[in-house]
Amino acid sequence: MGGGSRPGTPGGPKTEPSSASTVSDASELKIGAKAFFEKDGEIRQAEILSIRDMARRQNIQRSAEDKPIERDEDNHLEYEFYVHYVEFNKRLDEWVPQARARLDKPVLFPKKKNKAPHAAPQQSARDKRRKTNAGTAIATATPSTPQTPDAARHDDSVYTATTAADTFSKEKEIEKLRTSGSMTQSTSEIARMKNLNVIEMGQFQVEPWYFSPYPIEYSYTPVLYVCEFCLCYYDNRTQYTRHRGKCALQHPPGNEIYRKDDISFFEIDGRRQKTYCRNLCLLSKCFLDHKTLYYDVDPFLFYIMTKRDDRGCHIIGYFSKEKESAENYNLACILTLPQYQRMGFGRVLIQFSYELSKAEGKVGSPEKPLSDLGLLSYRTYWSEVVVEHLIGFDGEISIDGLSRLTSFTTQDIMHALFNLDAVRYYHGQHCIVLSERVIDAYERFRNKKHRKIDPSCLKWSPKVFSQAELRYL
């Protein structure tokens, strides 16, 4: 699941805009400047993140510190700008030709802040005081006030990504991945330019939303071809066609644990199928902004949802789950591929994760923070299931009772109830009251056709891993 609703722009030196000025030529636009560009018939302000030569696309300026783009022998140069539209999601970032730049509008140029002259010596002194006996520095942070459950139940900051730009460390992220399953990283590291133009999978061509760490030789190619069965990738159609003639896979390389109609689920161990799971993570990173990937797939189980036809089982989406979660997370990462979105498959993935929790006899919750789309999907699912149980229940029921029926955590249930505005204080105690608006919305939902998981078709038993199997080094 992607980051917050409006992720920031790439990290770098902190800048502040100067007074607006006008330019007469596109060559005067610089990286970091905020200019106006035409987009879908509208004029939108956008920040320039990179500049390149439209004819010679390898001739590119990626940062303000790089040397300017050189002109060709004919002294001709037509610019192309990679822009981030202000107040819009990063998935809309794109390359735009200079013809779409509105030079008649004012431009805000960045101005670097002056650093405090004594900041570096003070930091160095602090580092010296933090030396351990082994001679390494200890990274510390200012402790924050603990958040009580009552305050967190209706606080979206618990569920969404934070915007603090902490120092990025690959070692710390890998250690966090091993110990707590967290796959989030600093926003300054993830907020980079998209490196792929189009991905072709089977009969679909999709445009990536975010950066994904594919090998550099596959980046910036017109089309990246991905086999929809083994997820191997190629930058050449001839190589891809040759591979498709030899690829023997017709379904994900795992155990089929669910089948009903044309929908199947496959369980894959990241330790046994490393190549497939790494390719899956590379693909999913194109559509998830706040996930990181260091090829460490051993701690996870992957559940792949597919749609069957006469040619095989085609991947629709997936979710991953820790083999051993200290926080009782039942889901680490979830994605429905863009070509299958808005068809109800995201809800099926979420429901399937809770069916596994019910089979384990546990309550579960997705790993926090959730992306913007992930939070909307989960909030809708929690609300629908909670209202369904409340309307169909005769008698009294507590939050703990709802938790046992749904396998939701009490915190997630309270989040859903506060979102529905269903918690009331009456005669000295809290009670749940469903308004007519909520009941009408549920009736409309129930009258629609929805894909659902049939628990009787699930052929699965909880995995038990030994200490040796949980040792990833």
Side-chain angles (χ1 to χ4, degrees):
M1 293 177 279
S5 60
R6 288 174 181 169
T9 52
K14 291 185 178 180
T15 60
E16 59 180 0
S18 62
S19 58
S21 59
T22 57
V23 299
S24 58
D25 189 79
S27 61
E28 300 179 40
L29 296 176
K30 307 297 182 183
I31 292 178
K34 292 184 179 180
F36 287 87
F37 295 85
E38 294 180 358
K39 169 70 173 176
D40 298 333
E42 300 179 357
I43 299 177
R44 298 179 182 175
Q45 189 181 38
E47 181 178 358
I48 299 174
L49 306 182
S50 185
I51 305 173
R52 73 181 179 187
D53 184 348
M54 194 169 181
R56 299 174 298 163
R57 295 192 171 183
Q58 297 302 322
N59 187 12
I60 186 171
Q61 182 185 8
R62 301 185 186 277
S63 67
E65 288 74 20
D66 295 347
K67 64 178 182 179
I69 300 175
E70 299 178 353
R71 295 181 179 271
D72 57 16
E73 298 177 354
D74 299 331
N75 199 31
H76 176 74
L77 180 60
E78 188 172 357
Y79 291 98
E80 212 171 16
F81 303 96
Y82 190 85
V83 300
H84 166 70
Y85 296 103
V86 178
E87 299 297 329
F88 283 88
N89 195 283
K90 272 181 78 277
R91 64 175 67 102
L92 298 179
D93 295 2
E94 62 178 350
W95 286 101
V96 297
Q98 68 179 51
R100 286 171 53 184
R102 293 298 301 266
L103 302 181
D104 56 325
K105 300 289 184 179
V107 179
L108 292 175
F109 286 96
K111 182 174 64 175
K112 292 185 179 180
K113 286 183 177 180
N114 295 326
K115 294 183 179 179
H118 302 295
Q122 291 176 358
Q123 181 64 32
S124 177
R126 284 197 299 269
D127 290 342
K128 290 181 180 179
R129 291 195 296 270
R130 293 176 181 178
K131 293 290 182 180
T132 63
N133 294 332
T136 56
I138 302 176
T140 61
T142 304
S144 58
T145 304
Q147 191 175 32
T148 62
D150 289 337
R153 284 168 182 164
H154 56 280
D155 186 2
D156 283 356
S157 64
V158 178
Y159 293 85
T160 55
T162 59
T163 57
D166 299 328
T167 302
F168 178 78
S169 169
K170 176 179 177 180
E171 291 74 16
K172 291 179 182 178
E173 290 299 324
I174 292 180
E175 182 62 23
K176 187 188 298 183
L177 181 67
R178 295 183 187 283
T179 56
S180 65
S182 176
M183 298 184 71
T184 61
Q185 64 177 18
S186 65
T187 55
S188 61
E189 172 69 12
I190 61 173
R192 293 181 284 188
M193 293 171 16
K194 289 185 286 189
N195 58 336
L196 299 174
N197 297 318
V198 175
I199 295 177
E200 181 173 314
M201 290 185 64
Q203 60 179 332
F204 299 102
Q205 282 194 343
V206 295
E207 181 181 345
W209 295 351
Y210 306 110
F211 172 90
S212 181
Y214 278 97
I216 188 63
E217 57 267 24
Y218 295 93
S219 300
Y220 308 106
T221 57
V223 180
L224 182 71
Y225 301 92
V226 178
C227 176
E228 58 183 335
F229 296 112
C230 68
L231 303 184
C232 290
Y233 45 88
Y234 302 89
D235 61 350
N236 183 280
R237 178 176 285 276
T238 302
Q239 296 175 345
Y240 170 71
T241 304
R242 188 184 302 121
H243 165 80
R244 286 298 308 127
K246 297 179 179 179
C247 184
L249 276 181
Q250 291 185 322
H251 59 77
N255 298 324
E256 187 177 14
I257 60 175
Y258 178 89
R259 178 188 291 185
K260 184 177 182 181
D261 300 330
D262 59 345
I263 300 297
S264 293
F265 275 86
F266 291 82
E267 182 183 59
I268 301 177
D269 190 334
R271 189 173 189 178
R272 297 184 178 182
Q273 297 291 342
K274 290 186 178 181
T275 300
Y276 181 89
C277 294
R278 289 171 179 172
N279 290 342
L280 177 63
C281 291
L282 282 171
L283 178 64
S284 65
K285 184 64 184 70
C286 293
F287 310 103
L288 299 173
D289 189 30
H290 77 296
K291 296 298 180 184
T292 185
L293 170 69
Y294 285 117
Y295 301 98
D296 194 0
V297 295
D298 289 14
F300 294 94
L301 294 170
F302 294 81
Y303 296 90
I304 317 297
M305 180 168 61
T306 63
K307 190 173 185 179
R308 296 191 319 277
D309 61 16
D310 55 350
R311 295 189 298 113
C313 296
H314 309 272
I315 179 172
I316 295 174
Y318 84 101
F319 69 88
S320 58
K321 177 182 179 180
E322 290 180 273
K323 294 177 180 177
E324 191 73 22
S325 175
E327 304 292 336
N328 286 329
Y329 290 137
N330 66 352
L331 184 144
C333 180
I334 184 172
L335 172 71
T336 303
L337 292 176
Q339 59 266 35
Y340 294 104
Q341 290 182 0
R342 303 185 67 84
M343 299 181 184
F345 291 116
R347 190 180 191 280
V348 175
L349 284 169
I350 295 174
Q351 184 183 0
F352 192 81
S353 69
Y354 280 107
E355 290 298 333
L356 297 185
S357 295
K358 291 178 182 179
E360 292 176 313
K362 300 178 180 178
V363 296
S365 181
E367 182 181 325
K368 312 301 187 303
L370 295 171
S371 66
D372 53 346
L373 298 180
L375 178 59
L376 289 174
S377 299
Y378 264 97
R379 181 183 288 165
T380 301
Y381 179 75
W382 290 331
S383 300
E384 291 169 352
V385 174
V386 168
V387 171
E388 180 181 9
H389 280 81
L390 290 175
I391 290 180
F393 190 84
D394 186 14
E396 295 184 357
I397 189 171
S398 64
I399 300 298
D400 290 334
L402 279 174
S403 179
R404 289 189 294 270
L405 288 174
T406 61
S407 288
F408 299 170
T409 63
T410 55
Q411 182 178 1
D412 293 339
I413 293 175
M414 290 301 299
H415 180 84
L417 291 175
F418 275 107
N419 182 60
L420 294 171
D421 194 23
V423 179
R424 297 287 187 271
Y425 191 75
Y426 182 72
H427 284 191
Q429 63 179 359
H430 289 91
C431 58
I432 301 173
V433 179
L434 299 180
S435 64
E436 293 184 3
R437 175 183 59 84
V438 172
I439 296 176
D440 291 342
Y442 171 74
E443 292 296 333
R444 290 194 299 269
F445 163 78
R446 192 175 63 175
N447 292 332
K448 296 180 181 178
K449 292 184 178 180
H450 296 279
R451 300 177 184 269
K452 292 185 178 180
I453 294 295
D454 185 354
S456 63
C457 297
L458 177 63
K459 309 300 179 184
W460 181 81
S461 58
K463 299 286 184 180
V464 178
F465 296 96
S466 64
Q467 290 293 333
E469 291 175 314
L470 294 174
R471 191 177 297 118
Y472 304 123
L473 289 178

